[in-house]
Amino acid sequence: GQNIDQPTEMTATEGAIVQINCTYQTSGFNGLFWYQQHAGEAPTFLSYNVLDGLEEKGRFSSFLSRSKGYSYLLLKELQMKDSASYLCAVVDSNYQLIWGAGTKLIIKP
Amino acid sequence: DTAVSQTPKYLVTQMGNDKSIKCEQNLGHDTMYWYKQDSKKFLKIMFSYNNKELIINETVPNRFSPKSPDKAHLNLHINSLELGDSAVYFCASSFFVDRNSPLHFGNGTRLTVT
């Protein structure tokens, strides 16, 4: 079966750094997405990785290791508005998106 | 504004009723989707249309019927609503030719069946 694992919930402090991990077992791999979803709102695109390594985009970075079936989203200089759920999604060999359940990130002052 | 827009935002109805959710996108995308997000926050694909043709039809009760009059619209009709249909339904769109183009989501329709 296909599976995406993420921690259910994480807590971090404003101004700090947090790393949200995602491990996957899928039939093939054609890329990995990270989305942010604020409570009661739609998911919005954050990043896309298809090659190994780190992609940096402002305060957010995303890392991929295909050999380990592993990705992480790194959030720096945390702000209260970063409180949201972060969804990991993998594109499988049929180009279908397999979604994780998301990690709820709580930021404390 | 360029966006994916779906209506209504909230829908409260009784078991057994029939309801529709409408979705429109003006992003020029050729592929549209319906997703269901349950209370555990899993996003489950229900249907996908590319240029008005059905390309993904997951295991969904046939009480759910999508309709795509053109590539900018994908509506969802639900017959004989059941309690278990209560969830948030998201419409989304993307480019098919670039299979890894990100999805753009509508703001969701929160359906409550009583």
Side-chain angles (χ1 to χ4, degrees):
Chain A
Q2 310 211 81
N3 196 45
I4 310 275
D5 284 316
Q6 308 178 231
T8 304
E9 188 173 296
M10 299 181 71
T11 303
T13 305
E14 192 177 14
I17 298 173
V18 71
Q19 178 176 310
I20 302 174
N21 295 327
C22 170
T23 57
Y24 60 89
Q25 299 93 38
T26 55
S27 56
F29 178 84
N30 279 302
L32 185 145
F33 288 93
W34 284 97
Y35 283 80
Q36 180 190 59
Q37 185 177 23
H38 284 102
E41 296 183 11
T44 55
F45 169 73
L46 285 179
S47 68
Y48 171 71
N49 294 70
V50 67
L51 299 176
D52 289 351
L54 189 69
E55 296 274 344
E56 296 188 73
K57 215 188 257 188
R59 293 189 299 114
F60 292 8
S61 303
S62 56
F63 172 83
L64 174 67
S65 168
R66 288 171 297 172
S67 62
K68 294 182 180 177
Y70 168 69
S71 172
Y72 67 73
L73 183 69
L74 190 72
L75 290 75
K76 301 177 186 175
E77 301 169 16
L78 284 168
Q79 301 174 9
M80 298 302 293
K81 68 178 182 180
D82 297 330
S83 292
S85 288
Y86 292 86
L87 307 173
C88 172
V90 172
V91 185
D92 73 6
S93 56
N94 293 320
Y95 288 94
Q96 300 224 16
L97 264 180
I98 313 299
W99 292 85
T103 298
K104 183 178 180 181
L105 177 64
I106 299 167
I107 309 296
K108 295 186 174 177
Chain B
D1 288 344
T2 54
V4 180
S5 56
Q6 57 181 107
T7 54
K9 187 169 174 63
Y10 298 97
L11 189 51
V12 181
T13 188
Q14 292 184 328
M15 283 175 55
N17 285 347
D18 303 338
K19 291 293 178 185
S20 292
I21 308 173
K22 294 186 176 181
C23 180
E24 175 182 4
Q25 56 93 6
N26 61 6
L27 296 165
H29 291 158
D30 55 6
T31 304
M32 296 185 72
Y33 312 79
W34 276 110
Y35 276 88
K36 179 180 180 181
Q37 189 172 42
D38 59 23
S39 56
K40 294 184 179 178
K41 304 302 181 187
F42 267 109
L43 270 169
K44 294 181 185 175
I45 182 75
M46 299 174 70
F47 302 103
S48 174
Y49 272 71
N50 172 246
N51 282 322
K52 303 192 298 174
E53 290 196 16
L54 183 66
I55 56 171
I56 295 175
N57 184 4
E58 291 296 314
T59 306
V60 173
N62 57 16
R63 298 181 295 104
F64 291 79
S65 53
K67 282 194 171 59
S68 182
D70 55 58
K71 69 177 189 177
H73 295 83
L74 181 62
N75 303 324
L76 184 66
H77 189 75
I78 316 170
N79 288 330
S80 303
L81 279 155
E82 301 178 356
L83 292 176
D85 297 333
S86 295
V88 181
Y89 292 84
F90 285 103
C91 177
S93 68
S94 70
F95 287 113
F96 187 77
V97 66
D98 179 1
R99 302 293 191 97
N100 294 324
S101 69
L103 298 181
H104 292 253
F105 286 86
N107 285 330
T109 297
R110 183 173 295 277
L111 172 65
T112 304
V113 182
T114 60

